[in-house]
Amino acid sequence: MIKDALDQLRQHRGIARVGAPSESDGLVQVEVDIPVELPSRAIALGVSATGVRAVETCTLVFRNWPMQSPRVLLRPDFPRNLPHINPGAAGTPVNPCIFEGSIDELLHRLGLDAVIDQIIDWLTKAAGGYLIDPAQGWEPTRRDSCPSIIVASADKLIAVTPLTGEIYESGAGYVCIEDGIYAYLDEGILSAPGLKFSQETKTVGKQQTQAGICPVLAVRAPVRVDGAHVVSTYHPESVVDLPSLLERARLAGVDSEALNQKLAQVYQDSVWASDANPRTWSAGLYVIVILLVERPTHLIGAPERRIEVLPYVVRFNVNPSDLFQREATAHPAFHSHSLTSQLLAQASGKSAKDLSKKIVFLGAGSLGSKLALHLGRAGFGSLALVDNDRMSPHNLARHALLRYSPAIDGNKAEMMREALAALSHYEVKSSSDNAVMLLKSEARFSEVVEGDVAFLIDSTASLQVLAALATSEPLDQHGVRVVRAQLYSFGRCAVLTREGKGRTTRADDLNALAFEIARGTPSVRSAITGGESNLARLFVGDNCSSLTMPMPDSVISRAASSMSIQIEHWLSEGCSDDGELCIGIEDASGLGLLWSKCTVSPTTVIPRKDRTGWEVRVLHHVASAIDADARKWGALETGGALVGRVNNETRTVTVTGLIAPPPDSTRSPVEFTLGTEGLAQALRQAHSDSAGHLMFVGTWHSHPMGGGHSGIDRQTLRKIAEIGNGLPMLSLVWTPHGFICEVEKV
């Protein structure tokens, strides 16, 4: 197998020489000479300004070939002050980081030639001094093996560390792990000058370890009149003891002598001015030193930050028999970002500027809880949750929460608030209000939906809540855009809607439109109805039951994740002033959802004539179709039947669609007569195809010359109302100047 690799190396045009292989301890090493394209000014010298030679000898170390890519080693005296070099001790071969991802994956994807190409490209960039691409960002100092981990918010460290070069003193809880510590700085990184070290024995799991509080010293170079101290030279990690740490601080522009004196003072105060017994500190005395270094460009992986955080751990060996000894060691530590909204957003690829957008949830049940957690994990933490229901044991089958305890006041909204606080979203609010009552009360609404709220998300699937949304005066006055998320047919269909700006398209309009689409689209109709009842009875106890929709958690999660993606897009990328309707239906495999989206322009609203009257809402596509048909027939009156939704609770008639006039209809300049041939059958079919949600709501016709309803129009409306079974019926008239409408109810 190695022979095949050698043959391939000999054929590569970028390799000048392939040496004889040597084998030892299961490893095969092969030297290859690679000519390097030097900058023109360095060709005569045979070496670049960065120390790269015209021909570099690389050693390829094969282990477990061909399952693993060969390891790449450069000469021991290869310059180490270059980026993209893995840490290593001086005098040992240099191991360059030639590929952003896994070099093993590169081998299996593109072959050995691709690995060699990456080596050549790396050496060329190293010779030219552009291993760091300013557009890509500054590569953080490589730390591949550190015994300690420091958890802290980089942004908070930058904010609290003085620009004057003074040392900022704080503290961190720590626990000893093997040869180092795991330390956690609190969220605020509060100032704690003179903090003394402490240590005690604690049991972690089945083992005993040392833990306590250790001082933290954070410092950066002082900002002078001419600006910040920018370190544009890449220095590989070289700290192995206290002197090398102080030298590292000096290179960062920090007063290393002041730092050394502060370390000595910390030791002195902790050992001699403390009530603790330092002779019991068997693990030693720890001090965390954090250097903040400003770079010439943003850091890779942190496009909004130019300051690199470099933590180190100084360990003083405490000699019980001679406390005056102050032997110290130092080593670099991994920096792990503390859990913040910014970290969650960064990990999710979201911009931190979006995180302040407020969201109010109506409903914290199975679907609402998952939507809230998806948004919370993406960094959106300005949430308010409203739910008057309590957790029950059966809820855990598909709720985002993972626990139920009868001893806890288990309001769903409050428990979700606690869950989101675990993600460091401490500003989340909860309310046990009834959603309907909240939407009616101006005082409570203003308390819960306060300030600039981006979305009010209704996940209750309640038609009563939908009616309250439609008639809520506080909601109209606030102007927040309503988003509704609901599932049909045991999760086989998901519907997500977003109101138009200023409620020009309302939630009830979009809900009715979904059934209009189902009327004309068999796949959507089948997904919504499922061929059976939407609701089934799920018994949750001996004497009570809950009317719900039984389905596994995975199905709800499938819809919730898709809906969250869309909501996150609306939050991050903005949305148009129009409304939007998104429908997802289960695909043939039953594994995913096929989504379709449509933009919905403003609804034509014909206001109610009095407080007891009916509001008529004509969806935009219906108004457009009527206008087009009326203009098509010109001077002749034309018309047809109307299909829509009647809501007695809100006293609203929403016109969602049209039924084409039967063939026996007649048109003239003074009258339109709607025929009857096949009309009743078409109306029954419309009702059936919309899962019974839509029905015949009246007729429309045009008045090309304008004018209001004629006596004949009113007589016709009266006859229609008599067969309307007590439902309101419409006579909608198109005129060149707009719609007029009469409503009759018998």
Side-chain angles (χ1 to χ4, degrees):
M1 300 292 284
I2 291 294
K3 182 180 180 300
D4 293 338
L6 293 174
D7 290 341
Q8 192 171 352
L9 291 173
R10 294 187 184 102
Q11 295 174 16
H12 196 288
R13 294 183 179 181
I15 296 177
R17 179 187 69 89
V18 178
S22 63
E23 186 172 354
S24 175
D25 297 330
L27 302 179
V28 177
Q29 297 188 29
V30 180
E31 286 189 353
V32 296
D33 289 346
I34 297 180
V36 181
E37 183 180 347
L38 300 181
S40 57
R41 60 185 178 277
I43 294 177
L45 297 174
V47 61
S48 73
T50 58
V52 180
R53 298 170 183 170
V55 177
E56 287 288 351
T57 298
C58 300
T59 300
L60 304 180
V61 182
F62 291 85
R63 170 182 291 189
N64 296 329
W65 174 264
M67 295 306 297
Q68 290 183 333
S69 173
R71 186 182 180 204
V72 181
L73 298 176
L74 301 174
R75 52 189 165 88
D77 60 343
F78 190 90
R80 293 179 179 272
N81 61 337
L82 295 175
H84 300 293
I85 289 180
N86 294 305
T92 61
V94 172
N95 176 213
C97 180
I98 64 170
F99 187 60
E100 184 177 0
S102 167
I103 191 172
D104 292 331
E105 289 298 315
L106 175 65
L107 172 71
H108 288 286
R109 188 180 302 124
L110 298 175
L112 181 59
D113 282 352
V115 175
I116 302 302
D117 291 341
Q118 286 296 127
I119 299 173
I120 295 171
D121 181 67
W122 189 94
L123 287 170
T124 301
K125 290 178 178 177
Y130 48 90
L131 277 172
I132 290 182
D133 180 0
Q136 184 184 15
W138 182 273
E139 185 201 14
T141 304
R142 293 295 301 269
R143 294 176 166 186
D144 288 353
S145 58
C146 296
S148 296
I149 299 173
I150 310 300
V151 180
S153 166
D155 293 330
K156 191 64 178 179
L157 277 169
I158 294 168
V160 300
T161 304
L163 301 178
T164 59
E166 295 178 70
I167 297 174
Y168 184 83
E169 299 180 59
S170 186
Y174 75 92
V175 60
C176 293
I177 51 173
E178 297 181 354
D179 296 329
I181 61 173
Y182 182 95
Y184 194 100
L185 279 70
D186 65 73
E187 183 186 12
I189 311 182
L190 302 177
S191 176
L195 179 72
K196 298 176 180 62
F197 177 82
S198 68
Q199 186 175 108
E200 60 183 6
T201 301
K202 289 194 174 182
T203 301
V204 179
K206 296 182 179 181
Q207 297 181 338
Q208 286 190 331
T209 187
Q210 308 304 310
I213 303 295
C214 68
V216 175
L217 308 178
V219 63
R220 62 192 296 180
V223 175
R224 306 194 185 282
V225 177
D226 56 348
H229 181 87
V230 178
V231 180
S232 55
T233 301
Y234 186 90
H235 298 289
E237 187 53 74
S238 57
V239 172
V240 293
D241 51 23
L242 183 55
S244 57
L245 171 58
L246 296 175
E247 174 60 18
R248 183 77 183 202
R250 187 191 66 79
L251 292 173
V254 169
D255 185 342
S256 58
E257 181 58 32
L259 177 59
N260 191 32
Q261 291 176 5
K262 178 60 70 174
L263 286 167
Q265 181 183 340
V266 169
Y267 178 88
Q268 178 178 324
D269 291 347
S270 296
V271 170
W272 300 108
S274 171
D275 295 333
N277 182 3
R279 291 180 174 84
T280 63
W281 298 343
S282 58
L285 187 158
Y286 295 97
V287 182
I288 297 172
V289 174
I290 302 177
L291 303 179
L292 282 74
V293 184
E294 182 144 357
R295 299 303 187 183
T297 185
H298 70 271
L299 302 179
I300 293 175
E304 299 174 352
R305 180 160 58 88
R306 293 167 55 119
I307 296 179
E308 184 177 1
V309 175
L310 298 174
Y312 299 89
V313 173
V314 176
R315 179 186 180 276
F316 291 99
N317 179 44
V318 180
N319 187 344
S321 60
D322 187 359
L323 296 179
F324 287 98
Q325 288 187 9
R326 200 172 70 237
E327 298 177 359
T329 61
H331 62 259
F334 282 122
H335 171 228
S336 178
H337 294 280
S338 59
L339 184 58
T340 62
S341 297
Q342 290 74 21
L343 178 65
L344 293 169
Q346 182 180 345
S348 303
K350 304 297 180 185
S351 172
K353 70 179 188 308
D354 302 322
L355 304 185
S356 61
K357 294 183 177 177
K358 298 180 181 178
I359 306 163
V360 176
F361 276 88
L362 298 183
S366 54
L367 180 58
S369 66
K370 294 181 186 299
L371 292 174
L373 271 188
H374 279 309
L375 291 174
R377 293 184 191 279
F380 297 97
S382 296
L383 307 179
L385 301 122
V386 179
D387 201 313
N388 65 337
D389 197 9
R390 296 170 57 86
M391 285 289 290
S392 296
H394 77 283
N395 293 137
L396 295 184
R398 60 198 191 192
H399 201 277
L401 295 174
L402 300 177
R403 68 186 177 93
Y404 165 79
S405 172
I408 298 175
D409 182 17
N411 173 265
K412 290 180 180 179
E414 172 61 17
M415 293 182 73
M416 279 301 300
R417 185 195 66 76
E418 294 178 2
L420 288 161
L423 293 172
S424 292
H425 294 317
Y426 303 110
E427 67 275 29
V428 175
K429 298 179 180 180
S430 64
S431 166
S432 59
D433 285 89
N434 176 285
V436 173
M437 296 298 101
L438 175 73
L439 291 166
K440 290 182 177 180
S441 169
E442 183 176 344
R444 283 300 297 150
F445 187 92
S446 61
E447 289 180 19
V448 175
V449 190
E450 59 176 346
D452 185 16
V453 179
F455 292 131
L456 176 72
I457 300 178
D458 170 28
S459 62
T460 63
S462 166
L463 291 178
Q464 184 183 17
V465 172
L466 178 60
L469 288 169
T471 57
S472 173
E473 292 185 6
L475 185 59
D476 289 340
Q477 294 169 4
H478 188 284
V480 59
R481 299 182 76 165
V482 175
V483 171
R484 292 191 77 237
Q486 54 189 332
L487 302 180
Y488 294 97
S489 185
F490 309 99
R492 287 189 283 264
C493 179
V495 177
L496 181 69
T497 63
R498 187 201 72 227
E499 286 190 345
K501 186 176 182 180
R503 313 206 76 190
T504 53
T505 305
R506 258 182 3 201
D508 52 333
D509 298 336
L510 297 165
N511 185 71
L513 177 59
F515 287 92
E516 175 65 25
I517 292 175
R519 179 170 81 92
T521 312
S523 59
V524 175
R525 178 166 66 250
S526 176
I528 285 182
T529 64
E532 52 187 311
S533 172
N534 286 343
L535 298 179
R537 191 167 293 274
L538 174 65
F539 287 91
V540 297
D542 291 335
N543 301 308
C544 62
S545 62
S546 171
L547 195 63
T548 184
M549 190 186 299
M551 69 186 79
D553 177 75
S554 54
V555 171
I556 295 183
S557 297
R558 178 181 67 181
S561 62
S562 299
M563 291 174 168
S564 295
I565 290 172
Q566 179 60 78
I567 294 171
E568 288 170 22
H569 284 173
W570 287 336
L571 290 167
S572 301
E573 301 168 11
C575 46
S576 69
D577 291 348
D578 290 328
E580 192 164 346
L581 169 63
C582 310
I583 300 178
I585 60 175
E586 191 174 73
D587 62 22
S589 71
L591 299 178
L593 294 174
L594 297 174
W595 285 89
S596 60
K597 299 195 295 183
C598 65
T599 299
V600 186
S601 297
T603 298
T604 297
V605 181
I606 302 173
R608 54 188 99 239
K609 293 183 177 180
D610 53 61
R611 296 186 63 183
T612 61
W614 290 80
E615 179 182 78
V616 177
R617 304 181 65 83
V618 184
L619 298 190
H620 183 268
H621 74 279
V622 177
S624 297
I626 290 175
D627 184 74
D629 194 51
R631 295 185 186 281
K632 169 188 171 183
W633 290 101
L636 300 180
E637 290 193 8
T638 186
L642 301 173
V643 173
R645 173 72 175 170
V646 176
N647 191 316
N648 284 291
E649 198 172 349
T650 63
R651 300 190 69 78
T652 299
V653 180
T654 305
V655 182
T656 64
L658 304 173
I659 298 293
D664 58 334
S665 302
T666 60
R667 298 176 177 86
S668 75
V670 295
E671 184 180 15
F672 168 76
T673 302
L674 183 65
T676 59
E677 184 180 336
L679 179 60
Q681 181 181 357
L683 293 172
R684 284 194 295 269
Q685 190 67 46
H687 181 68
S688 174
D689 289 348
S690 65
H693 194 80
L694 306 178
M695 61 192 69
F696 173 57
V697 294
T699 63
W700 77 274
H701 65 281
S702 63
H703 282 180
M705 302 304 293
H709 284 77
S710 65
I712 296 176
D713 293 338
R714 297 182 186 279
Q715 291 177 10
T716 302
L717 177 59
R718 182 72 179 178
K719 291 179 181 179
I720 294 175
E722 288 174 353
I723 61 172
N725 296 320
L727 294 174
M729 288 291 154
L730 309 181
S731 176
L732 184 66
V733 175
W734 176 93
T735 76
H737 309 293
F739 288 102
I740 56 175
C741 187
E742 290 290 336
V743 182
E744 186 73 35
K745 180 175 178 290
V746 176

